[in-house]
PDB file of all heavy atoms in Angstrom:
ATOM      1  N   GLU W  42      15.666   3.110  37.669  1.00 95.00           N
ATOM      2  CA  GLU W  42      16.560   2.032  38.079  1.00 95.00           C
ATOM      3  C   GLU W  42      17.857   1.928  37.198  1.00 95.00           C
ATOM      4  O   GLU W  42      18.938   1.770  37.668  1.00 95.00           O
ATOM      5  CB  GLU W  42      15.855   0.671  38.122  1.00 95.00           C
ATOM      6  CG  GLU W  42      14.841   0.530  39.247  1.00 95.00           C
ATOM      7  CD  GLU W  42      14.126  -0.806  39.297  1.00 95.00           C
ATOM      8  OE1 GLU W  42      14.579  -1.825  38.518  1.00 95.00           O
ATOM      9  OE2 GLU W  42      13.154  -0.927  39.920  1.00 95.00           O
ATOM     10  N   LEU W  43      17.583   2.041  35.912  1.00 93.00           N
ATOM     11  CA  LEU W  43      18.776   2.049  34.949  1.00 93.00           C
ATOM     12  C   LEU W  43      19.733   3.184  35.248  1.00 93.00           C
ATOM     13  O   LEU W  43      20.944   3.096  35.265  1.00 93.00           O
ATOM     14  CB  LEU W  43      18.313   2.064  33.522  1.00 93.00           C
ATOM     15  CG  LEU W  43      17.874   0.820  32.914  1.00 93.00           C
ATOM     16  CD1 LEU W  43      17.197   0.928  31.592  1.00 93.00           C
ATOM     17  CD2 LEU W  43      19.083  -0.103  32.743  1.00 93.00           C
ATOM     18  N   ASP W  44      19.101   4.440  35.529  1.00 92.00           N
ATOM     19  CA  ASP W  44      19.968   5.601  35.861  1.00 92.00           C
ATOM     20  C   ASP W  44      20.795   5.343  37.054  1.00 92.00           C
ATOM     21  O   ASP W  44      21.934   5.798  37.064  1.00 92.00           O
ATOM     22  CB  ASP W  44      19.063   6.796  36.026  1.00 92.00           C
ATOM     23  CG  ASP W  44      18.432   7.325  34.738  1.00 92.00           C
ATOM     24  OD1 ASP W  44      18.950   6.968  33.657  1.00 92.00           O
ATOM     25  OD2 ASP W  44      17.445   8.036  34.766  1.00 92.00           O
ATOM     26  N   ARG W  45      20.259   4.717  38.081  1.00 95.00           N
ATOM     27  CA  ARG W  45      20.990   4.475  39.338  1.00 95.00           C
ATOM     28  C   ARG W  45      22.040   3.425  39.213  1.00 95.00           C
ATOM     29  O   ARG W  45      22.868   3.338  40.053  1.00 95.00           O
ATOM     30  CB  ARG W  45      20.052   4.094  40.483  1.00 95.00           C
ATOM     31  CG  ARG W  45      19.147   5.264  40.956  1.00 95.00           C
ATOM     32  CD  ARG W  45      18.315   4.889  42.188  1.00 95.00           C
ATOM     33  NE  ARG W  45      17.307   3.885  41.872  1.00 95.00           N
ATOM     34  CZ  ARG W  45      16.127   4.173  41.319  1.00 95.00           C
ATOM     35  NH1 ARG W  45      15.834   5.376  40.921  1.00 95.00           N
ATOM     36  NH2 ARG W  45      15.250   3.178  41.100  1.00 95.00           N
ATOM     37  N   MET W  46      22.017   2.596  38.101  1.00 96.00           N
ATOM     38  CA  MET W  46      23.006   1.562  37.913  1.00 96.00           C
ATOM     39  C   MET W  46      24.404   2.053  37.456  1.00 96.00           C
ATOM     40  O   MET W  46      25.357   1.348  37.442  1.00 96.00           O
ATOM     41  CB  MET W  46      22.486   0.492  36.918  1.00 96.00           C
ATOM     42  CG  MET W  46      21.301  -0.244  37.462  1.00 96.00           C
ATOM     43  SD  MET W  46      20.801  -1.422  36.247  1.00 96.00           S
ATOM     44  CE  MET W  46      21.916  -2.831  36.552  1.00 96.00           C
ATOM     45  N   ASP W  47      24.461   3.297  37.069  1.00 92.00           N
ATOM     46  CA  ASP W  47      25.735   3.908  36.625  1.00 92.00           C
ATOM     47  C   ASP W  47      26.464   3.101  35.564  1.00 92.00           C
ATOM     48  O   ASP W  47      27.615   2.746  35.695  1.00 92.00           O
ATOM     49  CB  ASP W  47      26.620   4.170  37.904  1.00 92.00           C
ATOM     50  CG  ASP W  47      27.737   5.137  37.533  1.00 92.00           C
ATOM     51  OD1 ASP W  47      27.486   6.054  36.800  1.00 92.00           O
ATOM     52  OD2 ASP W  47      28.883   4.947  38.141  1.00 92.00           O
ATOM     53  N   LEU W  48      25.677   2.754  34.525  1.00 96.00           N
ATOM     54  CA  LEU W  48      26.292   1.961  33.457  1.00 96.00           C
ATOM     55  C   LEU W  48      27.084   2.839  32.541  1.00 96.00           C
ATOM     56  O   LEU W  48      26.923   4.052  32.450  1.00 96.00           O
ATOM     57  CB  LEU W  48      25.061   1.366  32.621  1.00 96.00           C
ATOM     58  CG  LEU W  48      24.126   0.407  33.426  1.00 96.00           C
ATOM     59  CD1 LEU W  48      22.923   0.091  32.532  1.00 96.00           C
ATOM     60  CD2 LEU W  48      24.895  -0.821  33.794  1.00 96.00           C
ATOM     61  N   SER W  49      28.046   2.232  31.817  1.00 96.00           N
ATOM     62  CA  SER W  49      28.875   2.959  30.879  1.00 96.00           C
ATOM     63  C   SER W  49      27.971   3.539  29.738  1.00 96.00           C
ATOM     64  O   SER W  49      26.995   2.993  29.494  1.00 96.00           O
ATOM     65  CB  SER W  49      29.952   2.042  30.351  1.00 96.00           C
ATOM     66  OG  SER W  49      29.337   1.053  29.446  1.00 96.00           O
ATOM     67  N   LYS W  50      28.492   4.530  29.124  1.00 95.00           N
ATOM     68  CA  LYS W  50      27.857   5.163  28.009  1.00 95.00           C
ATOM     69  C   LYS W  50      27.578   4.081  26.907  1.00 95.00           C
ATOM     70  O   LYS W  50      26.472   4.131  26.310  1.00 95.00           O
ATOM     71  CB  LYS W  50      28.613   6.357  27.432  1.00 95.00           C
ATOM     72  CG  LYS W  50      27.943   7.054  26.333  1.00 95.00           C
ATOM     73  CD  LYS W  50      28.770   8.204  25.897  1.00 95.00           C
ATOM     74  CE  LYS W  50      28.071   8.939  24.766  1.00 95.00           C
ATOM     75  NZ  LYS W  50      28.826  10.111  24.222  1.00 95.00           N
ATOM     76  N   GLU W  51      28.547   3.207  26.601  1.00 97.00           N
ATOM     77  CA  GLU W  51      28.388   2.157  25.631  1.00 97.00           C
ATOM     78  C   GLU W  51      27.241   1.219  25.922  1.00 97.00           C
ATOM     79  O   GLU W  51      26.384   0.969  25.042  1.00 97.00           O
ATOM     80  CB  GLU W  51      29.733   1.408  25.486  1.00 97.00           C
ATOM     81  CG  GLU W  51      29.769   0.343  24.481  1.00 97.00           C
ATOM     82  CD  GLU W  51      31.057  -0.433  24.415  1.00 97.00           C
ATOM     83  OE1 GLU W  51      32.042   0.224  23.922  1.00 97.00           O
ATOM     84  OE2 GLU W  51      31.102  -1.550  24.923  1.00 97.00           O
ATOM     85  N   ILE W  52      27.106   0.772  27.162  1.00 96.00           N
ATOM     86  CA  ILE W  52      26.111  -0.144  27.545  1.00 96.00           C
ATOM     87  C   ILE W  52      24.710   0.576  27.472  1.00 96.00           C
ATOM     88  O   ILE W  52      23.760   0.018  27.007  1.00 96.00           O
ATOM     89  CB  ILE W  52      26.331  -0.658  28.926  1.00 96.00           C
ATOM     90  CG1 ILE W  52      27.551  -1.673  28.896  1.00 96.00           C
ATOM     91  CG2 ILE W  52      25.047  -1.475  29.399  1.00 96.00           C
ATOM     92  CD1 ILE W  52      27.986  -2.211  30.176  1.00 96.00           C
ATOM     93  N   ARG W  53      24.602   1.813  27.971  1.00 95.00           N
ATOM     94  CA  ARG W  53      23.360   2.552  27.921  1.00 95.00           C
ATOM     95  C   ARG W  53      22.905   2.827  26.433  1.00 95.00           C
ATOM     96  O   ARG W  53      21.774   2.733  26.162  1.00 95.00           O
ATOM     97  CB  ARG W  53      23.514   3.946  28.637  1.00 95.00           C
ATOM     98  CG  ARG W  53      23.639   3.755  30.135  1.00 95.00           C
ATOM     99  CD  ARG W  53      23.691   5.089  30.826  1.00 95.00           C
ATOM    100  NE  ARG W  53      22.430   5.870  30.703  1.00 95.00           N
ATOM    101  CZ  ARG W  53      21.324   5.664  31.343  1.00 95.00           C
ATOM    102  NH1 ARG W  53      21.262   4.688  32.313  1.00 95.00           N
ATOM    103  NH2 ARG W  53      20.298   6.406  31.184  1.00 95.00           N
ATOM    104  N   ILE W  56      21.430  -0.547  25.184  1.00 96.00           N
ATOM    105  CA  ILE W  56      20.150  -0.742  25.744  1.00 96.00           C
ATOM    106  C   ILE W  56      19.164   0.185  25.018  1.00 96.00           C
ATOM    107  O   ILE W  56      18.022  -0.217  24.711  1.00 96.00           O
ATOM    108  CB  ILE W  56      20.118  -0.462  27.298  1.00 96.00           C
ATOM    109  CG1 ILE W  56      20.946  -1.567  27.947  1.00 96.00           C
ATOM    110  CG2 ILE W  56      18.764  -0.346  27.863  1.00 96.00           C
ATOM    111  CD1 ILE W  56      21.252  -1.348  29.442  1.00 96.00           C
TER     112      ILE W  56
END
Side-chain angles (χ1 to χ4, degrees):
E42 288 179 14
L43 278 171
D44 287 342
R45 288 187 294 280
M46 292 179 82
D47 196 33
L48 300 171
S49 71
K50 183 177 180 179
E51 180 180 285
I52 292 173
R53 290 185 62 82
I56 292 169

